[in-house]
Amino acid sequence: MARRSRVAYIHDPEVGLFYYGPSHPMKPHRMQVAHQLILGYELHHKMSCYRPHKASPAEMRKFHTEEYIDFLLKITPDNMHEMADRMKQHNVGFVGQYDCPVFDGIFPFCQIFTGSSLDGAAKLMDGSADIAINWSGGLHHAKSDEASGFCYINDIVLAILELLKFFPRVLYIDIDVHHGDGVEEAFINTDRVMTASFHKYDGNFFPQTGDVTDVGEGAGKYCSVNVPLHDGIDDSSFEQIFKPIIREIIGTYDPKAIVMQCGADSLAGDRLGVFNLSVHAHGECVSFLKGFNIPMLVVGGGGYIIRNVARCWAWETAILTDSQVSNDLPWNDYWAYFAPSYQLHADLRGKDWTYSENQNTREYLENVRNTVLKNLRCLQGAPSVQMQQLPPALYVDMDSEDEDELTDDQKRVRDLERAIGEMELGWRERVEVEELAREGGREGGSGDETWIGE
Ligand code: V1D
Ligand code: CA
């Protein structure tokens, strides 16, 4: 019989206290509600539970620019009026008017959800967990120098950069209704990360990217997978397209770690989303990936009906911990949110919900699936981690410390080469450690487990 997965759950009770402002759809409070359902179902007894560290500015600078992090550190609702130029530069604005408002505690909020994803990645890398969960993470739109689509720091990119120190290939899968553009863009040129996003796409829907023809660039060609979908996709259509594509990706690319973004705005009845998925179908994607037994970091993302986000992420926590849970919700602090059914698998549609027919015809879905599968066949097996040749103009003496002799481009290449060198060393060391563990048997236990309570 298969061994039960060791699951690390990372949660900070303060993450639900941040507030994007009235009328903004993103409500961090949903994390607190999801957490209460997880506790109510006693799923915390099936996991090692951790409070995260707060990610430092230096950790964030591994992907984001120095200037952007400095700006996020400094900006507050009180001083923002003196920083109008920098706000425009980094795509943040006033509460109530913008996708990415400046709200109280914006930087500590970013530190918490980013620290949580980094801690999850660390648990997979030190081998103490097979699965790590951070429902507060998954902010897939953030770019290196700017905020986008409610996302300020891209915790996913930062976690993947960590995972690359130990795993030769990382697969990113995104089932949020929006395209995972920030993650795709960060790794567009490399074959060490494959990104796959399932999303609504019509050229207009935010962020307006993610056509099936976008497949990656340079060494990363065919390592970006985009599955553009139309309004109203239902459970069976989604399953029909998700499973064969993921099976082919895993068979061809042979990832050694997976990061899964479980944005819950792909559920039926979402305030921003236009899909028609049930909690069962959303969870089936998680269950399907779990079945491959590859170390996996699971993060949240969008989701704008609090009660449904909580239902979805609690159900997925049950799946990841191999737990049976009752359809009757456990008593919890937010009981009234779940009226009138008080059930886990309820009718997700609210009273102001407008129904959309499934506009994805069988022919359309077959066409998208065949195009994606054809592209994947161009990959011809799992890429190795060998370093790529540099154009001569960018060649640098890696050992040179003489800053004055190098152009800015050469300095950038030198820093990148050093970072990649460290990553290669990291995962080679892991192979050796794993070999030793196989020979001598590995110690169990997860070390610094902490009770996180309510
Ligand atoms: F409806 C709103 C009310 C207030 C503020 C913003 C919105 C809103 C809805 N949809 N904003 C959007 C999207 N933005 C635009 C641009 C603004 N216009 C000038 C064009 O359409 C952004 C949607 C972000 C979705 C985020 C996400 O669900 O993918 C997510 N994933 O992880 C975290 C968030
Ligand atoms: Ca997506």
Side-chain angles (χ1 to χ4, degrees):
M1 207 178 77
R3 177 170 62 79
R4 178 181 282 202
S5 302
R6 294 160 308 157
V7 182
Y9 175 74
I10 299 116
H11 176 80
D12 189 316
E14 290 189 2
V15 77
L17 301 176
F18 295 92
Y19 186 50
Y20 278 59
S23 82
H24 197 289
M26 177 57 95
K27 311 278 183 204
H29 175 58
R30 71 209 170 118
M31 259 86 79
Q32 170 64 5
V33 182
H35 181 67
Q36 287 301 312
L37 286 191
I38 289 164
L39 293 181
Y41 275 128
E42 306 208 349
L43 299 175
H44 52 299
H45 295 314
K46 308 275 188 66
M47 313 185 273
S48 303
C49 300
Y50 302 91
R51 255 187 104 141
H53 83 289
K54 286 191 166 65
S56 68
E59 285 176 305
M60 294 175 179
R61 278 190 229 110
K62 298 255 160 78
F63 171 57
H64 295 282
T65 63
E66 187 138 9
E67 209 280 320
Y68 179 46
I69 298 304
D70 175 70
F71 164 79
L72 279 182
L73 251 168
K74 285 193 183 131
I75 191 114
T76 68
D78 294 332
N79 68 17
M80 63 193 288
H81 301 273
E82 298 134 41
M83 298 173 81
D85 287 351
R86 289 177 84 188
M87 283 170 66
K88 202 164 167 208
Q89 179 191 346
H90 300 299
N91 195 30
V92 305
F94 297 96
V95 164
Q97 297 166 28
Y98 288 87
D99 277 357
C100 303
V102 175
F103 58 86
D104 237 344
I106 183 168
F107 196 71
F109 174 65
C110 293
Q111 288 184 290
I112 291 171
F113 72 73
T114 302
S116 303
S117 286
L118 293 177
D119 287 350
K123 291 283 152 203
L124 302 182
M125 294 191 309
D126 72 16
S128 62
D130 308 304
I131 294 171
I133 304 174
N134 167 25
W135 293 126
S136 70
L139 283 84
H140 57 172
H141 298 305
K143 308 288 164 28
S144 65
D145 193 46
E146 66 177 42
S148 173
F150 319 161
C151 306
Y152 304 87
I153 293 291
N154 202 316
D155 59 297
I156 303 171
V157 170
L158 290 166
I160 293 176
L161 285 172
E162 280 303 297
L163 292 169
L164 287 172
K165 292 179 179 170
F166 285 86
F167 298 106
R169 287 176 302 283
V170 176
L171 170 62
Y172 171 67
I173 296 169
D174 184 317
I175 59 168
D176 188 289
V177 73
H178 300 93
H179 177 225
D181 59 342
V183 186
E184 179 183 282
E185 188 182 303
F187 299 111
I188 195 92
N189 275 310
T190 179
D191 58 8
R192 292 209 42 210
V193 179
M194 177 171 281
T195 60
S197 177
F198 297 74
H199 47 265
K200 147 102 181 181
Y201 177 77
D202 62 3
N204 254 331
F205 191 71
F206 186 86
Q208 303 180 332
T209 48
D211 197 1
V212 72
T213 53
D214 300 333
V215 295
E217 293 167 12
K221 192 160 183 198
Y222 304 117
C223 291
S224 300
V225 174
N226 281 296
V227 186
L229 300 166
H230 301 316
D231 288 13
I233 193 161
D234 60 20
D235 291 1
S236 71
S237 298
F238 199 85
E239 189 173 337
Q240 265 172 47
I241 191 136
F242 184 81
K243 289 188 175 174
I245 288 177
I246 295 301
R247 209 178 281 118
E248 184 71 20
I249 287 178
I250 293 183
T252 312
Y253 188 69
D254 188 24
K256 297 302 178 193
I258 295 176
V259 178
M260 181 173 195
Q261 199 266 21
C262 294
D265 49 7
S266 41
L267 292 175
D270 189 77
R271 186 172 155 196
L272 302 192
V274 289
F275 289 174
N276 208 358
L277 299 186
S278 68
V279 166
H280 269 300
H282 204 276
E284 184 55 28
C285 299
V286 174
S287 173
F288 186 66
L289 275 164
K290 179 177 185 291
F292 289 94
N293 289 318
I294 297 170
M296 180 158 73
L297 172 62
V298 180
V299 294
Y304 304 100
I305 300 288
I306 291 180
R307 60 183 179 277
N308 294 343
V309 176
R311 284 177 164 120
C312 183
W313 292 346
W315 173 241
E316 288 169 355
T317 307
I319 289 172
L320 292 167
T321 53
D322 301 296
S323 309
Q324 308 295 319
V325 290
S326 162
N327 195 30
D328 295 326
L329 288 170
W331 174 255
N332 65 84
D333 291 353
Y334 305 102
W335 186 244
Y337 288 19
F338 302 98
S341 74
Y342 304 102
Q343 298 212 316
L344 184 59
H345 300 286
D347 187 346
L348 302 180
R349 302 160 300 181
K351 42 185 184 325
D352 43 2
W353 179 73
T354 45
Y355 177 72
S356 168
E357 284 288 327
N358 184 359
Q359 289 170 26
N360 301 269
T361 61
R362 180 187 285 267
E363 297 73 52
Y364 176 75
L365 291 172
E366 269 173 19
N367 196 15
V368 172
R369 191 187 60 200
N370 291 340
T371 308
V372 168
L373 296 184
K374 204 169 96 201
N375 288 338
L376 283 168
R377 283 183 203 119
C378 296
L379 251 186
Q380 291 174 340
S384 75
V385 291
Q386 273 151 22
M387 301 237 261
Q388 294 142 24
Q389 284 286 322
L390 284 173
L394 291 183
Y395 176 77
V396 285
D397 175 2
M398 289 282 288
D399 301 324
S400 167
E401 293 295 336
D402 196 345
E403 291 282 308
D404 299 341
E405 283 186 5
L406 301 178
T407 65
D408 281 351
D409 268 352
Q410 285 178 324
K411 280 184 206 154
R412 206 166 39 79
V413 169
R414 181 207 47 202
D415 293 345
L416 267 172
E417 292 251 297
R418 282 182 181 163
I420 292 168
E422 276 167 28
M423 287 176 194
E424 295 243 335
L425 200 63
W427 84 262
R428 277 187 210 296
E429 274 165 0
R430 181 176 166 80
V431 171
E432 278 160 27
V433 169
E434 280 184 349
E435 273 163 12
L436 279 174
R438 265 196 299 279
E439 281 160 24
R442 188 141 40 120
E443 292 283 303
S446 52
D448 53 341
E449 188 172 342
T450 40
W451 167 249
I452 52 169
E454 274 132 78

